[in-house]
């Protein structure tokens, strides 16, 4: 039995899952949030199962001054509600780290040097890497005797060829500032591409796949033989598809225009494109369920938002089909991809001529697990594959420490 604690740390919160890797079982999960605020909050969930007996959920509201205190609150929650960390002792802690740059192309055991590198990559991910590092350091204090492993969101995309990751700008300037495409959601794209192959009963090495991770953030990935060859997010998670609050692709000159003509500063533009754009900017709703409800009520802005969202996905599917030369399967995943039959059908509308044919009854059916939503005759299989980034981090963590 290999138990791994998976940690995903933000600047004022962290999520955790205790996972038994061999059986792919979550033994407990939780969230510690509002770290540093007057009142913090910690939620600890134990699913029904042999680790504990019945399912339980506990919540505490208390001041949590920093991440180190947050981990103590988490340890207290395990002691009070189970499962026992002595019985289910983690062999390692796996950490999600957003930006691994060109340096990290695989999960890596955390050493002092690795921490220096993660910190140094903060220049490329100022919102994420410092927060990830805070989580690592606090978790190391809570679990000083086991290895900690960093699993990078960018690593899976390090197999992209230079033609896919190079921006056509001045080479020397780009190299000096490490401006290139890195891609994100790699853990999810890797997990889903392998789960799709398993679902199809074929080795991933033989397959050419397009994975559409549509959650709050959204990205597409072309996966050939199990390797990422192209993905829609770029140097930052802003490029590519339309997202909940992020614009995805815009003409870069729009930014200059807004700075020169609308008096926006660089920080204003950053805030606009990352936090006030996407379906929120177009419709006033950041949650896709609300956009769909508004559209059903005849809201034209909501309808356009969904049309723009689906149109962009279709453009990427076409582009990636051209890059791959053949598409064995398209896999939808994450909150929107797993749940919105409407987005799935709009995104792939009109692609029958390319061998992509959705089955409306399958697409709209109530199933939740991995499933096929294309017709049997469709040359390209269309799948819904629920993602599980925590399980993927746990698996990769075990693979590194056992290597
Ligand atoms: P994630 O980042 O994977 O947690 O996905 C979050 C997004 O999934 C949110 O924007 C939700 O609106 C969306 N979502 C979750 N459930 C549904 C649903 N039933 N229909 C449409 N969108 C959904």
């Amino acid at each position: 039995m290999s138990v791994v604690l998976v940690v995903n740390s933000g600047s004022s919160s962290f999520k955790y899952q205790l996972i038994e890797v061999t059986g792919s079982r979550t033994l407990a999960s939780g969230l510690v949030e509002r770290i540093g605020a007057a009142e913090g909050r910690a939620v600890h969930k134990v699913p029904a199962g042999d680790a504990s007996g019945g399912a339980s959920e506990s919540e505490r509201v208390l001041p949590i001054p920093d991440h180190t205190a947050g981990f103590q609150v988490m340890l207290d929650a395990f002691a009070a509600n189970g499962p026992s960390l002595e019985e289910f002792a983690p062999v390692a802690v796996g950490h999600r780290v957003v930006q691994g740059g060109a340096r990290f192309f695989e999960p890596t055991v955390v050493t002092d040097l690795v921490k220096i590198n993660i910190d140094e990559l903060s220049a490329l991910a100022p919102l994420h890497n410092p927060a990830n590092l805070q989580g690592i350091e606090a978790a190391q204090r809570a679990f000083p005797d086991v290895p900690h492993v960093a699993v990078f969101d960018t690593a899976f995309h390090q197999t992209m060829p230079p033609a896919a990751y190079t921006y056509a700008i001045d080479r020397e300037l780009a190299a000096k500032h490490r401006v290139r495409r890195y891609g994100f959601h790699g853990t999810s794209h890797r997990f889903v591409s392998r789960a799709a192959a398993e679902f199809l009963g074929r080795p991933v090495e033989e397959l050419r796949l397009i994975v559409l991770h549509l959650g709050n953030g959204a990205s597409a990935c072309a996966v050939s033989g199990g390797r990422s060859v192209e993905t829609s997010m770029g140097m930052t998670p802003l490029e590519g598809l339309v997202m909940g609050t992020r614009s995805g692709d815009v003409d870069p000159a729009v930014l200059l225009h807004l700075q020169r003509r609308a008096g926006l500063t660089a920080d204003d533009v950053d805030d606009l494109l990352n936090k006030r754009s996407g379906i929120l900017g177009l419709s006033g709703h950041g949650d896709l369920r609300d956009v769909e409800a508004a559209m059903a009520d005849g809201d034209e802005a909501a309808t356009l938002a969904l049309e723009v969202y689906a149109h962009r996905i279709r453009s990427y599917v076409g582009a990636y089909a051209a890059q791959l030369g053949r598409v064995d399967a398209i896999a939808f995943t994450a909150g929107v991809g797993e749940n919105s039959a409407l987005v799935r059908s709009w995104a792939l509308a009109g692609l029958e001529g390319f061998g992509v044919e959705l089955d409306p009854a399958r697409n709209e059916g109530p199933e939740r697990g991995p499933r096929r939503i294309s017709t049997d005759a469709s040359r390209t299989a269309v799948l819904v594959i629920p993602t599980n980034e925590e399980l993927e981090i746990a698996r990769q963590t075990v693979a590194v420490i056992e290597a």
Side-chain angles (χ1 to χ4, degrees):
M1 186 177 71
S2 294
V3 175
V4 171
L5 181 73
V6 174
V7 174
N8 181 355
S9 180
S11 57
S12 65
S13 68
F14 66 89
K15 289 189 251 179
Y16 60 88
Q17 263 192 43
L18 189 71
I19 295 178
E20 195 278 290
V21 177
T22 321
S24 303
R25 282 186 308 153
T26 297
L27 305 172
S29 63
L31 166 70
V32 176
E33 63 179 353
R34 301 203 288 264
I35 294 171
E39 271 193 346
R41 177 171 171 267
V43 179
H44 183 80
K45 294 183 192 174
V46 185
D50 45 9
S52 63
S56 75
E57 180 170 335
S58 64
E59 182 183 343
R60 284 177 76 196
V61 174
L62 74 173
I64 305 171
D66 53 25
H67 284 68
T68 301
F71 275 91
Q72 189 55 50
V73 171
M74 181 196 80
L75 292 175
D76 294 345
F78 273 102
N81 307 290
S84 152
L85 288 177
E86 272 144 40
E87 190 182 343
F88 296 96
V91 294
V93 181
H95 295 269
R96 173 175 183 237
V97 180
V98 167
Q99 179 55 274
R103 200 165 289 148
F104 294 108
F105 51 89
E106 59 188 5
T108 305
V109 174
V110 175
T111 60
D112 287 343
L113 181 61
V114 167
K115 285 198 281 188
I116 289 168
N117 282 321
I118 292 172
D119 187 37
E120 206 259 323
L121 287 162
S122 297
L124 290 172
L127 295 180
H128 294 109
N129 274 35
N132 298 153
L133 200 52
Q134 271 181 309
I136 290 174
E137 298 205 311
Q140 284 183 318
R141 282 179 212 116
F143 296 90
D145 301 324
V146 299
H148 290 247
V149 174
V151 179
F152 299 91
D153 250 23
T154 47
F156 182 58
H157 303 299
Q158 281 297 307
T159 48
M160 282 194 287
Y165 70 65
T166 305
Y167 289 118
I169 62 169
D170 180 273
R171 284 177 61 170
E172 283 173 23
L173 189 68
K176 181 164 176 222
H177 295 282
R178 290 177 291 184
V179 174
R180 49 157 282 182
R181 313 185 63 254
Y182 295 100
F184 298 86
H185 289 147
T187 308
S188 178
H189 287 300
R190 185 176 197 281
F191 177 88
V192 171
S193 50
R194 275 148 184 78
E198 198 174 308
F199 179 86
L200 294 169
R202 292 177 60 189
V204 75
E205 292 73 22
E206 282 177 8
L207 294 172
R208 300 188 201 177
L209 306 168
I210 298 174
V211 180
L212 298 168
H213 177 111
L214 311 176
N216 263 326
S219 67
C221 184
V223 183
S224 180
R227 294 151 66 92
S228 169
V229 293
E230 171 86 271
T231 193
S232 58
M233 284 177 167
M235 186 181 94
T236 77
L238 182 55
E239 192 179 351
L241 302 178
V242 178
M243 313 184 205
T245 64
R246 285 175 242 161
S247 59
D249 297 335
V250 289
D251 179 346
V254 169
L255 283 61
L256 308 175
H257 179 75
L258 291 175
Q259 291 185 43
R260 291 182 184 133
R261 298 280 163 178
L264 302 190
T265 64
D267 285 343
D268 293 338
V269 173
D270 190 337
D271 183 70
L272 172 77
L273 297 181
N274 275 298
K275 299 196 183 134
R276 294 190 287 120
S277 296
I279 58 167
L280 173 69
L282 288 172
S283 74
H285 306 283
D287 188 309
L288 205 102
R289 282 167 288 206
D290 298 332
V291 186
E292 289 189 12
M295 185 185 79
D297 289 340
D299 182 332
E300 285 176 19
T303 307
L304 179 63
L306 281 165
E307 285 171 350
V308 173
Y309 188 89
H311 180 101
R312 182 80 51 85
I313 296 170
R314 192 159 57 241
S315 293
Y316 271 92
V317 168
Y320 289 3
Q323 296 295 353
L324 289 167
R326 176 192 93 216
V327 185
D328 297 302
I330 298 169
F332 284 93
T333 195
V336 176
E338 291 168 32
N339 293 300
S340 176
L342 179 98
V343 163
R344 293 191 300 254
S345 71
W346 282 18
L348 301 184
L351 297 183
E352 294 80 6
F354 294 93
V356 179
E357 202 176 276
L358 273 197
D359 179 319
R362 288 179 184 169
N363 184 37
E364 286 155 28
E367 293 81 6
R368 280 290 157 262
R371 57 200 187 271
R372 182 192 299 265
I373 57 168
S374 49
T375 63
D376 292 338
S378 183
R379 205 162 60 234
T380 294
V382 184
L383 310 176
V384 178
I385 304 284
T387 192
N388 191 337
E389 294 175 84
E390 292 78 14
L391 178 58
E392 181 67 28
I393 290 173
R395 284 177 178 165
Q396 294 193 24
T397 297
V398 169
V400 172
I401 62 165
E402 285 181 351

